[in-house]
Amino acid sequence: MSPDREFITGLPKAELHLHLEGTLEPELKLELARRNGVDIGQTSIDQIRDSYHFVDLTSFLAVYYPAMQVLVTEQDFHDLAIAYLRRAAADGIVHTEMFFDPQAHTDRGIPFATVIDGLWSAVQEAPALGVDASLIMCFLRDLSAESAMATLEASLPYKDRIIGVGLDSDERDNPPEKFTEVFARARQAGYRLTMHCDIDQPDSIDHIETVIHRIGVSRIDHGTNLVEDPALVEEVRDRGIGLTCCPMSNSFVTVGHTPTMKGEEIVQLLRAGVKVSLASDDPAYFGGYLVDNFVGLVERMDLSREEVIQLARNSLEISWLDAGRRTRLLDRLEDYVAR
């Protein structure tokens, strides 16, 4: 019997694939536009919501990046992050590692310090909400490796606020090896490493092999095309490399906008013993936060109670928490399940 929404909501879990800029709900976007005097070409919530339509990754990004122009001040970045953290608490998230894209802001004249100071002030408030929170800095793969390296160097004075680095944006013609030196420097600086390997991209398996063997990541974001190579599935399982999968966004960015969620692939990997976790990616755009993603996958794939618990367990096990905090949260999960 599949668990219901109430059980899933109460399940202690982590969210490890969440773009803070992707939590910009229409209400907050309009509020920030008015606060900062930014003409966004829309004057109502409904107009903004109607603009959140896309058929693949490229058309999504064409909506996603222009929306960020309303983020101007330190307070704006704080308000963006704290709004997500409140929702995370309501979804039973006990730990979250949140992506942010500094180049999307510094390239339009917003200082790096403004971005990180605003986000960090929200992170510091998270424990009062019952959430443990960290920040992961992502590089935009459709910009140059030189830009990524400059961003990495700009981050170093704030290294105590950033747990790791990732790679996102348009994967076409931007393979992971483009950023080999950047990620080697990030590792040297003490950052943890993850990279997006988006679904159904050209050379998906080659990219997954590269991030594992050449870049040396401990997690892969999306990565469900892994199922195409059984030997690679075994390697990922045996090495304990985590996957952060996003069912609802998969429905939107798949070419042709199909409703499959890549559910069969996610469940196949889960049942093969790969440490698959679920996440909401850009929930303001894809219409659902973490519990919505769990419920959607459960309903489509008829997941069992134990499989849902395993997804939550995986999310904590592949997190970048220190061992003590991870153990405490895993114990909390097992106590919840036992009750």
Side-chain angles (χ1 to χ4, degrees):
M1 180 177 177
S2 296
D4 60 15
R5 178 178 284 269
E6 181 180 2
F7 177 84
I8 293 169
T9 300
L11 203 59
K13 50 196 170 292
E15 179 158 41
L16 308 175
H17 185 153
L18 183 284
H19 299 269
L20 280 168
E21 291 89 349
T23 68
L24 184 61
E25 292 286 350
E27 293 80 2
L28 182 58
K29 181 180 178 183
L30 187 59
E31 177 186 338
L32 296 183
R34 290 170 174 167
R35 179 193 295 178
N36 295 316
V38 176
D39 182 4
I40 58 174
Q42 299 127 6
T43 58
S44 72
I45 301 299
D46 287 342
Q47 287 178 341
I48 295 174
R49 191 169 285 115
D50 287 344
S51 74
Y52 287 10
H53 289 294
F54 22 82
V55 296
D56 57 18
L57 178 61
T58 302
S59 60
F60 161 67
L61 294 174
V63 175
Y64 181 66
Y65 288 120
M68 296 183 198
Q69 65 183 311
V70 302
L71 295 163
V72 178
T73 68
E74 182 179 323
Q75 186 66 47
D76 299 338
F77 288 97
H78 168 275
D79 291 352
L80 176 72
I82 202 66
Y84 162 70
L85 288 166
R86 289 176 181 137
R87 181 58 187 259
D91 266 6
I93 294 169
V94 293
H95 175 69
T96 180
E97 296 169 10
M98 308 174 292
F99 294 135
F100 71 106
D101 291 327
Q103 291 158 290
H105 311 298
T106 56
D107 278 10
R108 55 190 178 86
I110 307 300
F112 189 98
T114 297
V115 179
I116 192 68
D117 286 347
L119 299 180
W120 183 246
S121 65
V123 168
Q124 291 178 299
E125 294 176 25
L129 299 171
V131 181
D132 182 273
S134 301
L135 294 169
I136 299 174
M137 180 179 70
C138 282
F139 306 113
L140 302 183
R141 68 197 311 156
D142 39 9
L143 298 182
S144 68
E146 291 75 17
S147 174
M149 188 68 84
T151 300
L152 176 62
E153 295 298 331
S155 78
L156 295 181
Y158 307 95
K159 191 157 64 78
D160 60 330
R161 302 181 181 184
I162 301 169
I163 195 169
V165 297
L167 183 68
D168 60 18
S169 202
D170 198 340
E171 194 166 333
R172 295 173 308 163
D173 302 318
N174 295 297
E177 55 265 31
K178 173 180 173 182
F179 298 92
T180 300
E181 292 183 12
V182 177
F183 275 73
R185 174 72 178 101
R187 183 192 299 280
Q188 184 182 49
Y191 287 131
R192 304 290 191 94
L193 308 183
T194 186
M195 277 189 174
H196 278 51
C197 289
D198 284 307
I199 60 172
D200 296 343
Q201 297 295 303
D203 304 314
S204 286
I205 290 297
D206 288 345
H207 290 184
I208 292 170
E209 287 184 330
T210 297
V211 303
I212 294 170
H213 298 142
R214 184 168 175 181
I215 307 298
V217 300
S218 60
R219 290 204 305 252
I220 300 172
D221 304 307
H222 297 299
T224 48
N225 288 88
L226 179 66
V227 297
E228 298 166 14
D229 188 327
L232 204 54
V233 170
E234 290 186 11
E235 180 180 0
V236 167
R237 179 198 62 207
D238 293 346
R239 293 177 57 176
I241 295 170
L243 264 60
T244 65
C245 300
C246 307
M248 292 185 73
S249 73
N250 289 346
S251 297
F252 283 86
V253 300
T254 303
V255 175
H257 198 154
T258 60
T260 66
M261 290 187 167
K262 289 292 177 180
E264 291 185 5
E265 291 87 339
I266 292 172
V267 173
Q268 180 180 334
L269 290 165
L270 175 67
R271 291 173 179 167
V274 175
K275 290 192 179 298
V276 174
S277 69
L278 300 188
S280 61
D281 205 354
D282 301 282
Y285 294 87
F286 300 132
Y289 286 79
L290 183 55
V291 168
D292 301 311
N293 276 267
F294 266 88
V295 171
L297 188 66
V298 166
E299 291 177 348
R300 174 167 289 278
M301 300 305 301
D302 194 28
L303 292 185
S304 69
R305 180 177 184 272
E306 184 50 47
E307 286 172 327
V308 169
I309 294 166
Q310 188 61 50
L311 286 166
R313 188 179 292 120
N314 288 346
S315 71
L316 295 168
E317 289 179 345
I318 66 173
S319 73
W320 291 337
L321 284 162
D322 64 65
R325 286 191 295 170
R326 183 186 300 111
T327 297
R328 287 192 293 273
L329 291 179
L330 284 167
D331 288 344
R332 183 171 163 186
L333 168 62
E334 301 308 330
D335 287 345
Y336 175 82
V337 171
R339 291 197 307 271

